[in-house]
Structures are given as structure tokens and as C-alpha cells.
Amino acid sequence: QLTAWLNDATRYDIVGRLFADEWIFFWTILLIFVGAFYLILWQWRYGLIVLITWLGYVFYGLNYIVPDLSVFLIPAQIIMAIWWTVGLVAALDLIFPKPGVRRTFLLEALFILAGLVPLLVTAGNQTLDRINQIQLANVHWGQAVLDLPLDHEAAILADSDKFPPLFYLQQAEGIRPDLDIVILPDEATYRVELDSRLARGQTVYLARFLPGLESIYHLNSLGPLIEVNSNPQSSLSVQAVPTSINFGQIKLLGYEFLPESPYAVNESALALYWQADKKVDEVLQVYARWQTETENSLASIQHPANNAYPTVAWEPQEIVSDFHILSKPITDDAVKIQVALAPPFSDPDDLDWQTIAEVAAQFNERLPNADEIRIEAGAAFLDAANFKNQVRPQADFSVFLSGSADSPEQLSLALVEKGKSSEKQPSSEIEWHLAHALQPPGQIEDGLMLWTTQINTDLAIGEYELVVANPPSQSRCGWFSLANNECRLGLVEISGVPLAAGATSFADKIALVNIDLPETALQAGGRLPVQLTWQALTQIEEDYTVFLQILDSDDKILGQIDSWPQQGTFPTSHWQPGELVEDSYSIPINEELAPGPYELHVGFYLLETLRRLPIVDENGQTVNDKVVVPGLGSIE
């Protein structure tokens, strides 16, 4: 878009932020300016060519609107690195002049860069490690998807996240060469492609979300994919276990359960098959959970068919397949899988839960995402620990320990102020939590065990050490260490940002501080500018997608944008706690806009699951999944 540099001031903020993220210190930026100026003075032809080249890449970045813009600015960053080096050489010449002896620029530059090589290699190896882990997980997911019973010569319309592993496995490994795996530039093009392929009789699966399909097509889950059909499904999968459980006018006809999900580790997969006797006039969500003798663990809340096919869109007698991912519980009890149907934002404790199956406990022999430790706590030997290093005030968090013992051992854990032992603090300030050793019958070999407990963070903001003990026994905190009363597991920072007055809290992770609508009048074929101000309340691990929708009184969408913040260039996982993020949008409005009242919906969802980030009140209770701004009207 060659005029974005002129018409869209947000582009300057984005490009400037991407540069500032790499050159974070004032002195580095100062050296860059000094180097650019010094290079022009020293060799003006080279200096001018480099400057013009840098300006060309910056101009390209200002006008090329893609989420991974930082990739296309790498040449500009390299030029800035050259200027930085030249600037440092110039500074050395000024600080350490050598009359009569001129050090060569090349030797100085090589000396400086040689000092940076170890740092760059270390950082690069860490980055490559993380990239490899992510790509292996993606390929694992893609392999499981291509193993599904997909129709011959079907099409998969995928987003930019799901396309690469599918296409790689097809092209490099030769898996399912008959499939047409497609990625397209925008939502409108996807919709045209979907309609034309279905009209030709081709089977189409979606590995992305497309709004508004439920009013025209019939949607079903096939694993994490959505199958789009012109006709309703009329039969169960041959793998389905038949059942007959009534939820009012809706029946659960069958289910499939995979204790080990093929799509991700430490998860189980559940497929449900629903049927309504008559037209459903109420939006009902599917709630799924694990139940044990000691606790209930809510695992999934979503609309049927991967969150894409609400109950009000179903036809009578249509069979709707519905897929859920359940995080595996860590328990030694028998586990029941329970399901309920209820309106959105219902209190799970008040639902009519129905047990559909009872399964044996699934015990993970290796604690996922754990840090290795070497602790002897009484008769227990601990080798791994998993807990959050940063938590919000008043938010309990789980601690998992793994190791071995001849018999179940009860360990005590607590948060202790950094730099102090529990003996130096008043006992009233320390709350010890008893960690229960899980011991699933028949699943433990050689005394393998897992301990778990919940830690309360009703403490002042600050840094604390998580300590473990096994009183009255003493502990050894590593190889050849002396006996101690307790051992340190690691640091836990209790931090966060207070919710600003009038702000809306999304799952106590992100606050919507302000919505600015310069205008509320809508025009067919026009655009609605919206300025949002977000604030990260804590460190965010996921990359959430922002959605903005313009809806009429019948909830028909007449305008929509789905994007990562700041035109896709600033994912939420990069936000720092307390950081304010200005986020501008221009929502295109449908040509079919009719006179009448409209409202704006704003919220977040996770692209991988299509689950929206809930809005919570001061008690942590879910109250909605979107912010509603009424009062929009159309221009005649």
C-alpha cells in the first residue's frame, strides 16, 4: 500500500517500535546516528548509498502491512549495526587519539565484532532451541491432522499458523499428496474460495476461523478441523461409542475419547455427537470437565464444532460432531468425564453434569516443562519441579514435584521472602502447604512419584523463594551438600498491575483501558475508525487475537477485523506487565448496511482453540466474552 506512509500514522509507531526493540539503550541509538554521520564524512559516496538503502527498506516497511514485518526490516537493522560499529570506532578515535599512528578501520571493526560473536552465538542457540521446539510441536500436530480420514482430493483452507506444517509434510514427506492445502491473503478471499469449491462438489475443511458460515452451511468437527457441508450430517463415526443422554431437547448420541491426544502432549481428545429433536431457540455452550473423588476440573467451554456452530443454527435431527481438547489431570483417583449444556457464562457449580465415561487415571512419568533439581527431602528424592515464576497477587498457583520414594511422602512447601530462611521470619507470616504424593495403582515403578499442591499468594508484591521441607527430617539441597531444614526450589515473583478505574479485565491478564470512537455514524462501504488502549496486567504467554465486530439488532455481522495488536506486529506475548499499548483499527463496513441501530463488539480469542478470553469481575467470575459498545447508527 504505497500511500500508507502518508495516510497511516500508526505505521511510523510500528516501525519505530521494531527498531527500538533491538536498539534499546540511548547510547546505542546515539552511536548509530554518529556512525551514519561519520560514514558520510569519511566516505561520502558509501555513506550516501548506505543511507539511501536504509531509507528504502524503511519506506518498504511503512507500506508493507504484514504481521511479520520485523523480518522484512532485517536489512535495515543490519545497516544500523554497521552504523553502530562505525560510530563506536569514531568514538574510540576521539577518546583515544593516536597522533602519527592511524589504526585501520577494518581492524577496529573486526575487534569489536569479535567481542560480540560469543554473545550472538549464545543468543542464537537459545533462539534456535525454542524455534525447534515450536516447529516439532507444529509438525506433530500436522501429522495427526493428515492422519485423519480426510476425503480424497479434499481441500484444507488454512491460516498462516496451520498452513506451514501441513504443506511441509505434504511436499517434503509426501503425505496425502491428493489434498489441496491452501493459504489465502484475507478473509474475503477465503470465503469466495470456500463457496466456489463447495459449489464444485469438493469437500472443504477449515484450519482457520471464518465467521458467518453457520447461517448458510452445516459445520462439523473432524479433530481440530471444521468440515463445511451443504447438507447436514446424518450418521455417527464408526469409532463412536453410542450413548443416549438427554440434555432437554438435545441428545448426546455418542462420543470418542483418546486418553493421549495425537495433536499435543499432556492432553486428551474428546469428540461428542449431538442431535436436537427440534429447532433450538437458545444459544447453549458445551461444558466438559474431569471429576474425581476429591475435585472437579473444568477443562473446556465452547460452542459445538470447534466453537463455530452455535446450537441455534442446527437443523432438527441433524447430527453435529464436536471436538474438545482436555488437559490431562494429575491424579491417582478414578476419573469421570462429565459434560453439560448451558448458556454462556453459567456457573459451573450450578450445571446439570452428566457422566459419559469413567477412565483410569493417566499418570505422566515425566513432569512436563519442568526444571531439573537434585534434592533429598527425608526419604523422598526430588528430580524435577514445575511452577510459575511470576504470579499475580491473590492468585493461587500449582506446584508439581516429581521423584521417587519407597512410600508416599508428605512434603511441605512455602513462599519465603527472598534472602531469608523460614526460621528468620515469624511463623504467622509463613503458610506451609502440604504436598500430597500421588500414587496411581499399577502405574508406579521403582517408587516413582508425583507431588502436587496449591500455593497461596496473599502476600505483598515482591520476590520470594519457594522452599520445600520434609519435617521433622532434614534435607540435602544438591550433590554433596550439608543437611538443611529446607531447600530452595527457585524464585517466584509476585507482581502485577492494578486494574485501572473503569477498565475491563480480560481473564486478569489484559485490561481494556479505553475505547475511542471518533465517530459513531456508519456508512455502507465505508470504514469505522477505532482506537483501543490495552494494558498488560501480567506476563502473557499466549498470542491472543483481537476481534472487532459491527453487529445489527439481529446479531448479523456487518463489519469485522481479526488481528494481532498493532496490525499484527505486536503479539500479546511480547507485552510487558504495566505496558500501555495503543492499538488503532479501521473496520470495513458491508455494502449491505441498512438503516438502524448497531453496536461494536471488542474482545480477544486464541487462534489455536478459537476460545475467547473471558471478561471477569473483581471476584474473578466470568461475566462476558466481549465488550459491547452500543449507540452506532447508519447514515441514510
Side-chain angles (χ1 to χ4, degrees), residues 3 27 118-119 141 158 193 209 351 358 411-412 531 567 577 590 633:
T3 59
W27 68 269
L119 178 63
W141 176 90
E193 192 74 13
F209 176 68
L351 302 185
E358 186 168 339
L411 306 175
S412 296
Q531 176 72 32
Q567 298 181 4
N590 199 303

Side-chain angles (χ1 to χ4, degrees), residues 297-309:
S297 178
L298 190 62
S300 174
I301 306 174
Q302 65 183 43
H303 294 289
N306 293 346
N307 228 18
Y309 202 29

